Amino acid sequence: MEPQPPSARREHLHQRVWQLLPWYANGSLAAPERRTVEEHLAACRACREELAVCRELARAVTGLGEVAPSPHPVQLARLLSRIDAAEERPRPLAPRLLAAPRALRRGAATHLAATPRPVRTLLAAQLAAIALLGAVLAGLGAGSRPARPTASAAPAGPPLYRTLSEPAPARPPAGVAAGAQLRLVFAEAATEGEIRRVLESVRGQIVAGPSPLGTYTVEVPRGRGADPLEVVLAHLRTRREVSFAAAVAGSEDR
Amino acid sequence: MAQLAADDELALLRRVAAQDRKAFEGLYQIYYRRLFAYLFKVTRRGELVEELVNDVMLAVWTGAARFDGRSRVSTWVFGIAYHKALKALARIAATPSAAPAAADEEPREEREPAAAVEEPESLITRRELATTLGKALGSLSPEQRAVVELTYYYELSYGEISTIVGCPVNTVKTRMFHARRRLRQLLPGLGVSSHAG
């Protein structure tokens, strides 16, 4: 390759610096390139003028500021519902687990993945037992009282594959004969009394929340004697105290 | 200070990778406004942004375990957002009824009177669109606009921008080069004051 004449080399350097000017203007160039640009700037009027243009543009673009509202609990609740739905897609699981209720499986799957194989077998057997117990409880509970596990009932069952170091789950141990779980956001103006009456109207109980952004997980009875979930949701959505209501995936009536 | 914040974000993301929803809500809170503003700057379509923020955060939830730590968390999240934004714009462009998003001089509000009128932020977004600079930026391609915003608004290096947009550094420089030329044509006042001296 023939050596470039000095003028061609100058032109090449000029082009290179010209392209770098926006990042010289925003102060993000690394030291060697910054020096290259500065040396060229001292000798090139066109680049100095272009740098002024870049800086002006930077000021103008920054001056437009940000247009962003604060996060709204309803948006977050929608997002969490989508996550619930996404996680409903079947994952590969031990065959025996497939007999367990869905909510139970979902919670178990993540823990199982991190469990050594011999322990897994044991857990799977334990899970099957829990599922059976759940089915029995559901049968017993459905007639006389709402078939839902209360938080206080949970400790009576076997400890649910949680280590002590783990943070408490957002929802209660997805136990036995679960009621249906809903995600609710209450209107900002709703008073505690109003919220309580809304919950009473659907025999709901808060099992988690409020999240930092104000969403609640609420459990309502399901099964025989309980209103179908769509009816409960439709009712909730008519209440002005409720700004968002959706079923947590896996809680739909099947 | 910025480093502290970055460490916090990384810690949150690690917990999100372990399916920690509290951590996810924390990350959501940190990123909501940033993503909203950025997605609006790239797409310039307020009616898309709310849903796009959720698309991005859903991808963060499902992809957190794959974050390799080679970039900052924000670079990774903005990269996801950039690609979601372009996809959404391409989808709209493919819809026959949709008006072209870029390269038209007509003010947007005349074409889309009904879009998101109810939402308070649309007033602000429309103001941003209506300024001379806003219109000039609107005439760039989304790819060019992203580079301009990431450089001037977010003050990122061309290296970081190349990570976000998933293109070689030279492509970033070329896009900026063309964007500068276009903006110069549309904003003849730029740099005039400096020419005096």
Side-chain angles (χ1 to χ4, degrees), chain B residues 43-163:
Chain B
T43 63
R44 316 201 43 93
R45 304 190 66 130
E47 77 279 12
L48 289 181
V49 171
E50 198 78 77
E51 199 58 27
L52 273 172
V53 171
N54 274 5
D55 289 347
V56 173
M57 290 308 293
L58 186 62
V60 166
W61 171 261
T62 55
R66 291 192 295 277
F67 175 69
D68 59 14
R70 274 187 296 180
S71 66
R72 293 191 290 171
V73 173
S74 58
T75 306
W76 181 67
V77 175
F78 270 39
I80 295 173
Y82 174 76
H83 289 99
K84 295 270 180 208
L86 286 198
K87 249 190 225 164
L89 290 175
R91 244 191 336 266
I92 287 178
T95 316
S97 62
D104 69 288
E105 315 295 329
E106 200 183 342
R108 192 169 302 279
E109 53 265 61
E110 284 175 31
R111 280 193 285 107
E112 299 173 355
V117 169
E118 307 295 316
E119 294 175 29
E121 74 270 14
S122 71
L123 290 175
I124 324 171
T125 58
R126 280 196 282 168
R127 203 172 57 206
E128 174 163 343
L129 293 170
T131 62
T132 315
L133 174 63
K135 282 181 194 162
L137 288 169
S139 78
L140 301 176
S141 73
E143 290 89 347
Q144 289 174 352
R145 196 161 50 237
V147 174
V148 170
E149 295 284 4
L150 289 169
T151 302
Y152 288 141
Y153 193 83
Y154 294 93
E155 300 188 328
L156 297 181
S157 69
Y158 58 73
E160 282 170 297
I161 297 172
S162 107
T163 306

Side-chain angles (χ1 to χ4, degrees), chain A residues 29-119:
Chain A
L29 287 186
E33 271 188 331
R34 198 173 61 233
R35 272 195 300 275
T36 306
V37 171
E38 277 165 0
E39 278 162 25
H40 178 77
L41 279 173
C44 179
R45 185 193 161 96
C47 276
R48 283 199 300 275
E49 286 174 1
E50 177 66 11
L51 177 62
V53 172
C54 287
R55 287 191 165 138
E56 203 171 320
L57 193 56
R59 260 196 308 277
V61 167
T62 313
L64 284 179
E66 290 203 333
V67 285
S70 296
H72 193 282
V74 168
Q75 284 300 327
L76 177 66
R78 285 207 183 104
L79 174 59
L80 294 178
S81 291
R82 281 176 67 188
I83 287 177
D84 290 332
E87 304 203 333
E88 264 305 277
R89 287 185 208 121
R91 307 175 181 198
L93 284 174
R96 222 180 317 186
L97 273 178
L98 291 174
R102 271 166 173 266
L104 199 58
R105 284 191 341 247
R106 188 171 54 227
T110 43
H111 297 293
L112 265 186
T115 310
R117 192 165 290 280
V119 185

